[in-house]
Amino acid sequence: DWSSDVCSSDLVLFILLFGIITYLVWRAKRDEWIEARSAVAQRYEAAIGTSIDAFLQVSPTGHILEVNEAAAKLAGRTVKQLQSLAFWDIDGTIPREAFPSAIDRVRTAGTARFRSQWRRLDESLVDVDVSMTHVPGNDGGYFQSFVRDITADLAQTRRLEQLNRFHRFLLKVNHEVAMLRDPDEVMRAFCEAAVLDEMFELVWVGTVDEPSGRVLVRAAAGAGAEYASELAISIDPSSPFGQGATGSAIRECRTMVVADFLNDPRTVAWHVRARQFGFGSSAATPIIVGGCGVGAVNFYAKNPDAFDGELVALIEESIRTLALACEAGRTARALDDEHALRTDIEHRYETIFRESPLPMQLHAITDRRLTAINKAHQQLFGYTLDELRGDSAWLEKAFPDLGFRDA
């Protein structure tokens, strides 16, 4: 019995020691787990707090639970203001009634990525890229989103697309202009090609009427073409209609850019009409022929600040092509006019020669051959031109007396 009690006591002691050791090991592991989890949580909070991307935690009902400073900055609000709102209050593409179906799709897929627009406190919209993940848990869990401002990226993408379209425009213009001679046709083709890809709201070409100093619209194309139909523009710097970009560009032979058309004092004479067409910015580039500005091409865009240095350089390159075509057309027209004038003079001289009451002859300069006689000559002497051809035919018939002829 005694040995049995000793064995039982040892067993109890062993079990007790084992339990204590197990508890201590479990507690140590638990403390390590808690510490590790706390460290992870701290790193997570630090990462969220210092992230340059906006972070949101949203409940299944759409209410914003947690945000970081980047989210507040992106939304133009404070953290506290954001936490008092719902997701649809800041997302400009998902209205309240569409939120349940949208969030169900994310829950089903587990994660989703989409582009949207955030509505700031001042009601302006910011283009964003949203990456949303469903975190399961009690009461449906929650949804966490990382949001990145992609306004600059989209602007750069649109910029590259615009430059590519303009390069295509240059190729088209070079091809079409080379096939045309008439300046009006060249200008019309230029304007139509420039607005083909909707790069600009309006493109028009004007040339200077020298007697009046007014700039006359020769061609226009685009959604705002009607705007150009009633323009009053001058190259006179003392006139209110000569202080805009067009008049200045022609006088100074350099491109003039208006970054904010509706607020620029240089364009005040055209603000009322331009506001109807929604122009945001414009560029006027002179057409230079023979070192002088003879006209200008105007480009109008919907957005302000649409014309940067790179685009202006391409525009100026296209205008050089237009100027060469116009100069070639003017030269060709001048040659045609000269030919027409020469033809008219020759016709007048021919009429005078033919109808003159005085007998007249025409002789070749090189060999003095008789080449023509008029009607008065034939009536007076009675000989046709064929009868007078030859080296001595005229002398023999007009001066039959050889002695007189020799004298």
Side-chain angles (χ1 to χ4, degrees):
D1 291 339
W2 179 83
S3 56
S4 177
D5 290 341
V6 171
C7 289
S8 297
S9 298
D10 291 341
L11 181 60
V12 171
L13 180 60
F14 173 78
I15 292 173
L16 180 61
L17 290 173
F18 180 79
I20 292 172
I21 293 171
T22 301
Y23 170 75
L24 292 174
V25 172
W26 170 82
R27 185 170 179 176
K29 293 292 185 182
R30 185 198 66 177
D31 291 344
E32 289 178 3
W33 178 79
I34 291 174
E35 185 177 348
R37 184 163 183 172
S38 176
V40 170
Q42 289 176 0
R43 288 196 297 269
Y44 174 78
E45 290 178 1
I48 295 300
T50 59
S51 173
I52 61 173
D53 291 336
F55 171 81
L56 283 87
Q57 193 178 97
V58 183
S59 72
T61 59
H63 293 89
I64 298 174
L65 303 175
E66 183 182 345
V67 297
N68 64 356
E69 288 292 342
K73 183 178 180 181
L74 183 58
R77 296 173 169 87
T78 65
V79 170
K80 188 174 181 179
Q81 286 174 330
L82 270 183
Q83 290 175 332
S84 67
L85 301 177
F87 187 79
W88 52 81
D89 292 325
I90 60 172
D91 191 287
T93 60
I94 303 178
R96 181 172 186 171
E97 59 273 15
F99 181 81
S101 59
I103 212 70
D104 281 343
R105 289 194 294 270
V106 178
R107 182 186 291 109
T108 300
T111 184
R113 184 172 181 177
F114 54 93
R115 285 186 176 180
S116 184
Q117 289 184 315
W118 268 22
R119 185 182 297 107
R120 293 170 56 84
L121 185 61
D122 61 5
E123 293 299 321
S124 63
L125 295 176
V126 180
D127 293 303
V128 294
D129 182 78
V130 182
S131 178
M132 180 175 284
T133 302
H134 176 232
V135 180
N138 297 331
D139 299 325
Y142 59 89
F143 297 83
Q144 63 181 24
S145 301
F146 285 94
V147 183
R148 173 169 293 182
D149 183 356
I150 58 172
T151 303
D153 294 339
L154 291 181
Q156 181 64 16
T157 299
R158 288 191 290 267
R159 180 76 188 127
L160 291 175
E161 290 174 352
Q162 184 184 41
L163 291 176
N164 287 334
R165 291 199 302 270
F166 205 91
H167 278 293
R168 291 196 297 270
F169 156 69
L170 282 177
L171 292 175
K172 183 175 178 63
V173 163
N174 289 337
H175 173 71
E176 292 191 358
V177 164
M179 301 173 64
L180 300 173
R181 291 184 61 190
D182 183 77
D184 288 327
E185 292 182 3
V186 171
M187 295 175 190
R188 185 166 51 253
F190 183 94
C191 293
E192 291 174 353
V195 299
L196 195 61
D197 286 339
E198 299 182 351
M199 289 185 297
F200 307 106
E201 294 296 298
L202 165 66
V203 176
W204 65 269
V205 182
T207 56
V208 178
D209 177 56
E210 293 184 2
S212 66
R214 294 176 56 206
V215 178
L216 305 180
V217 177
R218 301 281 295 276
E226 185 182 347
Y227 171 83
S229 64
E230 299 180 9
L231 278 178
I233 296 178
S234 171
I235 60 171
D236 182 359
S238 64
S239 167
F241 299 107
Q243 298 172 11
T246 305
S248 299
I250 295 173
R251 289 194 304 271
E252 301 180 26
C253 289
R254 63 188 181 94
T255 298
M256 296 291 175
V257 174
V258 180
D260 188 357
F261 195 94
L262 297 179
N263 293 299
D264 194 303
R266 294 175 298 172
T267 57
V268 67
W270 304 276
H271 281 176
V272 174
R273 186 162 173 78
R275 189 171 285 107
Q276 300 174 8
F277 293 87
F279 298 144
S281 56
S282 71
T285 300
I287 301 173
I288 301 174
V289 176
C292 298
V294 300
V297 183
N298 281 265
F299 299 80
Y300 296 78
K302 182 178 294 184
N303 299 322
D305 300 307
F307 299 90
D308 61 14
E310 190 172 6
L311 181 56
V312 168
L314 289 174
I315 286 175
E316 290 175 342
E317 181 180 344
S318 71
I319 304 305
R320 282 193 287 272
T321 300
L322 178 63
L324 288 173
C326 290
E327 188 168 13
R330 290 179 62 178
T331 301
R333 180 172 291 181
L335 290 174
D336 291 342
D337 291 344
E338 183 181 347
H339 176 72
L341 178 62
R342 188 187 307 114
T343 301
D344 181 64
I345 291 174
E346 290 176 353
H347 177 72
R348 288 171 181 268
Y349 181 80
E350 182 182 351
T351 302
I352 292 173
F353 175 80
R354 185 177 61 249
E355 302 299 333
S356 174
L358 300 175
M360 302 176 71
Q361 296 179 348
L362 283 180
H363 292 264
I365 295 176
T366 54
D367 55 9
R368 301 183 63 81
R369 284 181 303 104
L370 181 65
T371 58
I373 59 174
N374 64 354
K375 289 190 295 183
H377 188 287
Q378 185 172 340
Q379 290 172 356
L380 179 63
F381 293 103
Y383 299 114
T384 65
L385 177 63
D386 288 337
E387 292 174 317
L388 298 177
R389 292 187 186 279
D391 294 339
S392 59
W394 161 246
L395 293 176
E396 291 174 356
K397 290 182 172 53
F399 304 100
D401 186 339
L402 184 60
F404 182 79
R405 191 191 320 159
D406 292 338

